[in-house]
Amino acid sequence: MKISLKTLSAVALAAPLAGCATEEKKPNIVLFLIDDLGWLDTSVAFGEEVYPFNLRHDTPNISALAEAGAVMTSAYVCPVSTPTRTSIMSGMNAAHTRITNYTSVTKDWNPDATDTPSEQLDDTVERTEWNINGVTPSAEPLDRAVHITPYPQILKDNGYYTIHVGKGHWAPNGTPAANPYNMGFCVNVAGQVAGKPRSYYGEENYGNTADKWNFFSVQNMTEYYGSKTHLTEALTLEAIKTLDYPIDNGIPFYLNFCHHAVHTPIHRDPRFFSKYIDRGMDEGQARFASMCEGVDKSLGDLMAYLDKRGVLDNTAIIFMSDNGGNSENLSKGGVRHTQNSPLREGKASCYEAGIRVPMVVYWKGKVAAGTRLNTPVVAEDLYPTILEMAGIENYKRVQDIDGKSIVRLLTDGSQMAKKAMTTGEITSQKQANDFVVPETVSGIDPEREVLAHFPHQWKPYQLHDIDYMSSLRKGDWKIVYRHRQQTLELYNIGEDITERNDLSQTHPEKLREMADALTAKLELYDALLPTFRATGERIPMPNKLVK
């Protein structure tokens, strides 16, 4: 089902009448979070042009959302899942939380004892102890975890009906944050520790069979066992059911809708698979394409229901992915490390394809329709943003917040961009992407520093571009620190979005500036860096590598 643009079209953005004493109704808020959806996996072109890969998958509802809201062309998250999800829940950068990799399923997991053989192939560096136990909302001490006040708890304390559906992945079993109810949610549907489902197939009980069960099996979905209902559809049906209570009772709600799709295993969504085979895709590509269209239909079904119940106009929707598209898993079909082209590499990398993700924000009457905002936004921004959307001020929390609210960027910034479109200052997609909203309007520096930090090895050493990295973007410039090699790379992503033209040798002054900035950010957060296996000493900070 495609959403009607007439339904979504934004109303005129007029200031409220002076002296109006009517209190504005609190908005409903939806975070629609997709797993492993790449920057080019939808029909929305987030770049300066429509790239060929934007034409692979049919995602009419995401496109309709973009036409009715603001497209965030420079949205950044972490290279892998848990760091992004805990940054959202905490408002902290992953380097600050030291949750820099995905958590396992059990609290007593010993990463040093269970490293994959590939980790042992590298005799140069090894990662240091990170916070494998994720976040904890409990004041009770928990080793290798970060104590936080989750924003859903603040929403709940301020009258919101808080709902979690789908993937959690904030902490392992045996810790408080493994249970969404401890994170401030009134309702939990299938939220648990799993980083991916055991199966997307109802015929396989989503992994709850004697021959398939493990901690990745999706729980609390027995209604669909034995059916032909793909997990994406089942979660959508359940999410819609949870909305009846708050809507019927006039209670503002927050829906944390976190799909497992399009993460592995790449299991076909039978509603859409055949048409992609008919288009000439190979088996893996068609399976993945059907999963992408499945989450698009989920968005359309959700918004159609909100419209039917008469609450869509008062609901803010944030659509985004938790990390870049997987480029190394051949079950997706195609050729390894090409699935995110022209962006380089993919998930678990600090190159653009690993951390730059699709993001769209819809908020009728607040966000100007059909606009594009290029100010960088990051995962930790969602914490203060969602609370400001809810009108909650002076809230108490135990952690320091690194993110910034982007509400003014979304409202005043989008209106400024809309005006530029009306006056003819913006007449093309490239001009829209290049349009800068000044900090005086948005409250956000358009050249703010964006840090990504992944001091780990993710996959076999043969995939040498996907491990042990840090990066910092500032404006069009970006520095990449390769930990294993102790080398620095410098790119101008405004001119070279592919990150193939290393300028470190030709721009020594800019390299020094960026190395100093990256070092300062890592030192600010007391970030973990790998150590040399031979000596146990920490690898040098990036500024020590510049002569």
Side-chain angles (χ1 to χ4, degrees):
M1 173 188 296
K2 181 176 179 179
I3 309 166
S4 166
L5 287 179
K6 181 178 180 181
T7 296
L8 293 181
S9 60
V11 298
L13 296 169
L17 294 175
C20 181
T22 303
E23 182 178 352
E24 186 175 3
K25 186 177 179 182
K26 284 182 175 292
N28 307 308
I29 304 169
V30 175
L31 173 60
F32 197 90
L33 189 65
I34 310 302
D35 199 344
D36 286 10
L37 188 74
W39 199 61
L40 294 118
D41 283 337
T42 78
S43 51
V44 178
F46 291 87
E48 293 183 346
E49 60 185 272
V50 177
Y51 296 112
F53 279 1
N54 287 127
L55 306 177
R56 290 176 298 180
H57 308 144
D58 294 339
T59 58
N61 295 298
I62 300 170
S63 292
L65 190 74
E67 292 178 45
V71 170
M72 316 304 288
T73 64
S74 296
Y76 287 91
V77 294
C78 303
V80 293
S81 177
T82 297
T84 295
R85 292 164 187 268
T86 53
S87 287
I88 292 172
M89 280 291 161
S90 67
M92 301 170 70
N93 186 274
H96 192 178
T97 64
R98 294 189 169 186
I99 306 169
T100 46
N101 206 348
Y102 55 86
T103 56
S104 186
V105 293
T106 56
K107 179 175 179 292
D108 57 357
W109 174 65
N110 182 346
D112 297 317
T114 59
D115 281 346
T116 60
S118 64
E119 183 101 20
Q120 307 306 321
L121 292 176
D122 174 32
D123 60 358
T124 307
V125 299
E126 60 183 344
R127 48 158 177 65
T128 54
E129 289 192 352
W130 54 285
N131 282 330
I132 61 171
N133 287 325
V135 295
T136 178
S138 172
E140 294 296 320
L142 178 62
D143 184 46
R144 294 173 71 176
V146 179
H147 182 203
I148 69 165
T149 305
Y151 71 84
Q153 183 65 57
I154 299 173
L155 289 169
K156 181 180 177 182
D157 292 343
N158 284 270
Y160 270 78
Y161 190 77
T162 51
I163 306 163
H164 174 80
V165 177
K167 178 175 175 176
H169 210 207
W170 307 300
N173 276 331
T175 69
N179 187 337
Y181 289 116
N182 294 329
M183 295 289 281
F185 289 102
C186 303
V187 174
N188 170 40
V189 177
Q192 58 173 100
V193 300
K196 63 180 180 180
R198 183 67 167 156
S199 172
Y200 284 93
Y201 297 141
E203 299 94 327
E204 297 178 344
N205 299 351
Y206 310 121
N208 290 283
T209 59
D211 61 327
K212 292 188 73 69
W213 187 89
N214 64 21
F215 283 111
F216 294 125
S217 301
V218 179
Q219 305 300 308
N220 308 122
M221 303 294 286
T222 55
E223 179 180 344
Y224 304 95
Y225 285 6
S227 74
K228 295 183 179 180
T229 310
H230 194 273
L231 179 59
T232 298
E233 183 179 10
L235 290 174
T236 305
L237 293 170
E238 291 302 299
I240 287 173
K241 289 178 185 178
T242 69
L243 299 177
D244 282 340
Y245 177 79
I247 293 174
D248 288 345
N249 291 277
I251 303 170
F253 64 80
Y254 170 70
L255 173 60
N256 199 57
F257 195 175
C258 302
H259 275 292
H260 282 284
V262 293
H263 196 292
T264 55
I266 307 301
H267 285 173
R268 69 180 69 175
D269 190 323
R271 297 171 293 176
F272 311 108
F273 174 75
S274 295
K275 78 174 187 179
Y276 290 105
I277 288 290
D278 293 342
R279 291 181 185 179
M281 289 187 177
D282 65 37
E283 171 81 13
Q285 289 172 318
R287 287 199 307 264
F288 182 72
S290 74
M291 293 176 73
C292 290
E293 188 162 353
V295 295
D296 177 82
K297 186 175 189 302
S298 174
L299 176 66
D301 290 348
L302 173 65
M303 297 189 71
Y305 186 76
L306 294 173
D307 184 40
K308 176 183 176 181
R309 294 303 310 273
V311 298
L312 181 59
D313 287 356
N314 191 43
T315 301
I317 299 175
I318 303 169
F319 172 93
M320 69 181 301
S321 177
D322 70 343
N323 50 248
N326 190 322
S327 69
E328 62 79 33
N329 193 294
L330 295 183
S331 67
K332 288 175 61 174
V335 179
R336 175 176 283 159
H337 292 331
T338 65
Q339 292 96 328
N340 299 308
S341 179
L343 301 188
R344 182 172 175 178
E345 309 303 351
K347 178 179 179 178
S349 168
C350 290
Y351 292 118
E352 291 293 283
I355 57 177
R356 195 167 181 171
V357 296
M359 181 178 180
V360 179
V361 181
Y362 166 79
W363 193 6
K364 189 172 182 179
K366 301 286 187 178
V367 174
T371 51
R372 302 173 72 86
L373 299 171
N374 72 359
T375 300
V377 297
V378 293
E380 54 265 35
D381 291 340
L382 293 189
Y383 188 112
T385 299
I386 290 171
L387 291 176
E388 184 174 347
M389 283 178 163
I392 301 172
E393 301 176 348
N394 303 317
Y395 46 87
K396 295 181 180 179
R397 79 269 180 187
V398 298
Q399 75 273 24
D400 293 328
I401 302 297
D402 301 319
K404 295 180 177 294
S405 172
I406 61 170
V407 167
R408 284 180 58 196
L409 173 65
L410 293 169
T411 56
D412 297 347
S414 69
Q415 292 182 59
M416 183 178 182
K418 192 72 172 182
K419 182 177 180 181
M421 295 167 65
T422 304
T423 60
E425 184 179 351
I426 294 175
T427 59
S428 68
Q429 185 166 305
K430 184 180 186 308
Q431 288 178 338
N433 273 33
D434 291 340
F435 183 78
V436 176
V437 176
E439 186 173 4
T440 53
V441 173
S442 70
I444 304 287
D445 182 356
E447 295 198 357
R448 68 189 300 200
E449 296 177 345
V450 176
L451 172 68
H453 187 54
F454 191 67
H456 302 270
Q457 182 164 3
W458 185 57
K459 290 286 183 175
Y461 182 58
Q462 288 85 343
L463 304 178
H464 58 87
D465 273 348
I466 298 188
D467 57 18
Y468 288 129
M469 300 173 70
S470 299
S471 70
L472 185 83
R473 175 186 170 180
K474 185 175 184 181
D476 284 339
W477 290 95
K478 180 177 174 182
I479 188 171
V480 176
Y481 181 17
R482 304 300 302 273
H483 299 165
R484 179 185 287 109
Q485 298 87 349
Q486 286 100 64
T487 56
L488 301 176
E489 301 166 3
L490 182 68
Y491 302 101
N492 186 316
I493 59 174
E495 299 176 355
D496 174 30
I497 199 171
T498 67
E499 294 175 285
R500 295 295 181 183
N501 183 21
D502 181 5
L503 302 174
S504 59
Q505 299 302 310
T506 57
H507 290 68
E509 292 185 3
K510 179 58 71 172
L511 180 67
R512 161 63 71 181
E513 175 190 331
M514 294 297 291
D516 286 343
L518 175 56
T519 298
K521 190 68 77 172
L522 293 173
E523 290 178 341
L524 173 66
Y525 294 143
D526 193 21
L528 296 172
L529 284 172
T531 59
F532 292 111
R533 286 189 185 273
T535 65
E537 295 181 356
R538 190 178 72 172
I539 66 170
M541 282 289 184
N543 64 347
K544 301 298 183 184
L545 303 177
V546 182
K547 297 179 181 179

